[in-house]
């Protein structure tokens, strides 16, 4: 008789509800090794894996759009996302990886042409505080970091992070001794400063003084080679973006900024030199150079012209050569201004 009554397959909605119940149980139960808890944990890991299979498909089948929509709808109807994020430290490594992929995928799922994850996160924005604080926990950092980068795809979430006190912490996270965590924090930092153009331009304009003071002293003048290389590359990306033209004009009018870039041009690392050149050329091209910028460039004219005469990159690049010729022309034509 047993074979006649096969269990009904779980629907995506059932899978989410059962996952939620298991997360609630795990959250309430004390950490320990009693058999009931271990059984529930194993069941939870299986459910998280099932959620991932519905969203991503598996070796035998592609994801089904309708199933993904139903799963997403149910996920954000209740607090399943909050439960999953806050319970992550209690999961084993494989379940953490699966949960990270589930959270990432849900940020892109549309229900009735809406990214409902964005609405949920706007109403539960404090979850970003949990994700960012993850950089201070070696076991959680890479999982929470990956989730965070997916969440800041939503402009309202990115704006919250940019305007929060957390932004100042990134200057320290980028220099953590654990290389993988530092690199992850740097990837998030870059995403925050490049993805949503109008929000970034507004943030940089409002926070110019403290942001670039920290950027210069903690990143561009860092003793760590990788930090300096990443920072000067990102600086070029930021300043060369048209959305940030007002910020760029302000940056290239500062003698302190020019001094830092000229030091980076003298680095032994070719990659740092080249990235520094892409920022330095903005100082040279500025047609309204303040007198103190002109006087520094004039005082260092012969050194700069000698440097650029030997300045080559490994592969031929017409644009680079054209930029270099223009910079040389600008500097060669500079004359001391009467005070």
């Amino acid at each position: 008789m047993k074979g006649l009554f096969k269990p009904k397959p779980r629907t995506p909605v059932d899978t989410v509800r059962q996952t939620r119940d298991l997360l609630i149980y795990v959250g309430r139960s004390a950490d320990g090794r009693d058999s009931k808890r271990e059984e529930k944990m194993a069941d939870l890991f299986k459910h998280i894996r099932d959620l991932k299979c519905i969203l991503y498909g598996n070796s035998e089948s592609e994801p089904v759009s309708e199933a993904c929509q139903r799963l997403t709808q149910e996920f954000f109807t209740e607090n399943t996302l909050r439960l999953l994020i806050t319970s992550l430290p209690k999961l084993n490594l494989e379940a953490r990886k699966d949960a990270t992929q589930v959270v990432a995928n849900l940020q892109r799922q549309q229900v009735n042409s809406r990214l409902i994850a964005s609405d949920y996160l706007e109403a539960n924005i404090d979850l970003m505080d949990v994700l960012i604080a993850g950089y201070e926990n070696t076991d959680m950092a890479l999982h929470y970091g990956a989730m965070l980068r997916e969440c800041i795809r939503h402009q309202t979430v990115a704006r919250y992070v940019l305007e929060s006190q957390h932004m100042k912490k990134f200057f320290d996270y980028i220099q953590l001794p654990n290389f993988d965590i530092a690199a992850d924090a740097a990837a998030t930092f870059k995403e925050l400063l490049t993805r949503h153009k109008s929000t970034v331009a507004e943030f940089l304009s409002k926070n110019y003084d403290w942001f670039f003071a920290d950027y210069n002293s903690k990143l561009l003048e860092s003793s760590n080679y990788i930090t300096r290389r990443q920072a000067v590359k990102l600086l070029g990306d930021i300043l060369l973006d048209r959305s940030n033209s007002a910020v760029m004009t302000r940056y290239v009018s500062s003698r302190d900024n020019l001094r830092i870039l000229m030091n980076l041009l003298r680095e032994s690392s070719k990659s740092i030199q080249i990235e520094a050149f892409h920022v330095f050329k903005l100082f040279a091209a500025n047609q309204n150079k303040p007198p103190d910028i002109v006087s520094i460039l004039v005082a260092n004219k012969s050194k700069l012209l000698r440097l650029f005469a030997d300045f080559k990159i490994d592969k031929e690049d017409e644009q680079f050569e054209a930029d270099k010729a223009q910079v040389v022309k600008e500097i060669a034509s500079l004359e001391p201004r009467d005070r």
Side-chain angles (χ1 to χ4, degrees), residues 13-282:
V13 170
D14 292 336
T15 306
V16 175
R17 287 176 180 168
Q18 288 164 21
T19 303
R20 185 159 61 236
D21 291 342
L22 287 162
L23 286 166
I24 290 168
Y25 172 83
V26 166
R28 286 178 183 162
S29 66
D31 290 342
R33 290 198 150 275
D34 66 276
S35 58
K36 186 184 177 189
R37 188 176 191 279
E38 287 191 359
E39 191 181 312
K40 292 275 191 186
M41 289 299 280
D43 204 14
L44 173 59
F45 299 161
K46 183 180 182 305
H47 276 71
I48 294 171
R49 174 62 55 88
D50 290 344
L51 291 172
K52 187 178 96 167
C53 287
I54 294 167
L55 291 169
Y56 287 92
N58 54 33
S59 56
E60 293 161 19
S61 60
E62 291 288 311
V64 177
S65 176
E66 189 183 345
C68 292
Q69 284 193 33
R70 286 183 178 170
L71 184 155
T72 305
Q73 183 88 56
E74 181 61 29
F75 214 93
F76 292 113
T77 300
E78 298 282 345
N79 261 345
T80 315
L81 183 67
R82 178 179 292 278
L83 288 167
L84 189 57
I85 287 173
T86 55
S87 300
L88 206 70
K90 297 187 178 222
L91 308 183
N92 68 16
L93 181 60
E94 285 309 308
R96 285 176 191 168
K97 288 179 182 174
D98 289 343
T100 301
Q101 288 184 276
V102 167
V103 172
N105 188 294
L106 287 168
Q107 304 315 309
R108 303 163 189 241
Q109 290 289 343
Q110 294 197 5
V111 177
N112 299 328
S113 303
R114 279 188 69 77
L115 289 165
I116 63 172
S118 179
D119 299 335
Y120 177 87
L121 288 173
E122 206 172 333
N124 294 271
I125 201 71
D126 62 295
L127 284 173
M128 295 308 101
D129 305 338
V130 176
L131 296 182
I132 295 166
Y135 281 121
E136 294 166 31
N137 179 330
T138 310
D139 295 330
M140 291 295 105
L142 299 183
H143 305 297
Y144 279 160
M147 289 182 186
L148 179 60
R149 275 191 300 287
E150 291 298 329
C151 291
I152 59 178
R153 293 169 65 87
H154 310 301
Q155 193 155 1
T156 52
V157 177
R159 182 180 289 113
Y160 168 78
V161 178
L162 284 167
E163 291 176 355
S164 73
Q165 288 302 304
H166 297 305
M167 272 311 283
K168 295 187 176 181
K169 296 177 188 172
F170 274 96
F171 291 98
D172 299 320
Y173 295 156
I174 288 168
Q175 301 188 80
L176 285 168
N178 182 309
F179 175 80
D180 291 334
I181 296 174
D184 194 279
T188 304
F189 188 67
K190 179 180 179 182
E191 188 78 356
L192 281 164
L193 291 167
T194 53
R195 176 173 276 276
H196 304 286
K197 310 290 188 191
S198 59
T199 302
V200 170
E202 186 184 340
F203 163 76
L204 291 173
S205 295
K206 278 187 191 169
N207 298 276
Y208 181 93
D209 291 332
W210 77 260
F211 179 83
F212 283 107
D214 277 8
Y215 200 100
N216 287 350
S217 63
K218 294 183 177 178
L219 304 185
L220 292 177
E221 296 184 303
S222 165
S223 59
N224 184 299
Y225 159 75
I226 293 172
T227 302
R228 292 197 307 281
R229 190 184 73 190
Q230 288 177 333
V232 71
K233 167 84 169 71
L234 178 57
L235 180 65
D237 292 343
I238 291 168
L239 297 182
L240 286 161
D241 193 303
R242 284 183 188 165
S243 309
N244 300 323
S245 57
V247 168
M248 182 270 284
T249 302
R250 190 170 172 187
Y251 191 88
V252 301
S253 299
S254 157
R255 60 181 293 156
D256 289 337
N257 296 342
L258 176 59
R259 177 185 56 78
I260 291 167
L261 265 298
M262 286 171 64
N263 285 336
L264 289 167
L265 274 174
R266 293 163 52 201
E267 288 248 0
S268 57
S269 158
K270 181 65 88 176
S271 56
I272 288 182
Q273 277 191 318
I274 290 165
E275 296 303 342
F277 170 75
H278 288 306
V279 179
F280 177 81
K281 70 187 180 188
L282 299 172

